[in-house]
Amino acid sequence: MAAIDARGDDVVLKLEDNERSLMLTVFTDLAALLAEDDNEDGRPDSENWEARLGLVDRPRPQDPALLRLFPDVDPLDEERSKEFRRLTEFDLQQAKAHNVRIVLNGLAKGPSIALSHDEVLAWMKGLNDLRLVLAVRMGIDTEEAQEEKYAQRDDLDESEDLTLTLYDFVTWIQDRLTTTLLSDLPGDDDE
């Protein structure tokens, strides 16, 4: 079972081989999902200076998981959402992809992963994006839907049950990383 503890200025995440393998797979899939918005000319947006400057429209994602990662700023105003997407989505996509690369680089280090403060923050963001994608794939969009999914757990097919287990595992890692970071903050008695 995974373990997380603080060691000096680093946070150390220890994963079993099967946990690390699973995380490598799902984060590689997330990296591919984030890279799906290549231009029509086949070049990724990172090579397209017009996209960097917000000079070209970015289409509204058709994949519900991508739409959850890059939501409309105003669901009631299509033009406002389109303008916001044009001006911000490239940078947001680059930041999300950067966080995923940090997670993948950490996972490549082996079963014991020492993370700096900045790497922990990137992991927390990457884990959150993965949780959002998993939630969309399972049809969880509200607290009630999540409670209903857990209430029906015995009736889920094997794939759905495994996805829910992965969702729980990712949530646990994110929670433990958050708790570890918060425990290093000065408390009221330190003032």
Side-chain angles (χ1 to χ4, degrees):
M1 178 68 178
I4 298 174
D5 60 85
R7 187 180 302 155
D9 290 337
D10 291 340
V11 171
V12 179
L13 171 62
K14 295 178 184 172
L15 297 172
E16 301 281 331
D17 287 341
N18 61 338
E19 294 167 336
R20 193 168 65 88
S21 177
L22 177 63
M23 295 287 281
L24 278 166
T25 299
V26 294
F27 274 100
T28 299
D29 290 348
L30 180 57
L33 181 66
L34 289 170
E36 281 185 359
D37 60 351
D38 286 355
N39 293 310
E40 290 176 14
D41 61 4
R43 292 181 306 163
D45 278 336
S46 60
E47 298 175 14
N48 186 333
W49 66 272
E50 294 97 345
R52 290 182 188 170
L53 297 174
L55 300 175
V56 293
D57 286 339
R58 296 187 55 95
R60 186 174 190 265
Q62 298 301 306
D63 183 327
L66 278 175
L67 187 57
R68 183 66 180 100
L69 294 176
F70 306 107
D72 292 326
V73 69
D74 185 347
L76 302 177
D77 187 338
E78 188 177 321
E79 283 304 310
R80 184 171 178 230
S81 292
K82 182 178 177 181
E83 181 69 3
F84 185 80
R85 188 176 305 286
R86 181 180 67 80
L87 294 172
T88 64
E89 189 173 293
F90 176 81
D91 290 334
L92 184 58
Q93 186 273 338
Q94 293 296 301
K96 289 178 180 300
H98 176 74
N99 293 330
V100 170
R101 281 191 300 275
I102 289 173
V103 172
L104 288 169
N105 287 337
L107 290 167
K109 293 177 184 178
S112 184
I113 307 161
L115 302 170
S116 68
H117 183 271
D118 289 342
E119 289 171 324
V120 171
L121 293 175
W123 270 69
M124 290 167 50
K125 292 172 189 175
L127 289 163
N128 190 62
D129 286 341
L130 180 58
R131 286 181 68 240
L132 291 172
V133 169
L134 293 171
V136 168
R137 299 293 191 234
M138 291 186 296
I140 297 174
D141 57 357
T142 63
E143 256 185 71
E144 292 78 22
Q146 182 176 356
E147 290 170 9
E148 186 176 321
K149 186 65 74 174
Y150 282 104
Q152 298 171 347
R153 190 155 202 169
D154 291 339
D155 299 328
L156 298 178
D157 65 32
E158 184 178 352
S159 174
E160 287 179 306
D161 187 50
L162 288 172
T163 303
L164 192 55
T165 300
L166 175 61
Y167 181 82
D168 290 340
F169 180 64
V170 169
T171 301
W172 181 86
I173 293 175
Q174 185 182 28
D175 177 67
R176 295 303 308 143
L177 288 173
T178 303
T179 302
T180 302
L181 276 188
L182 290 175
S183 69
D184 289 340
L185 292 177
D188 291 334
D189 354 287
D190 294 337
E191 293 179 13

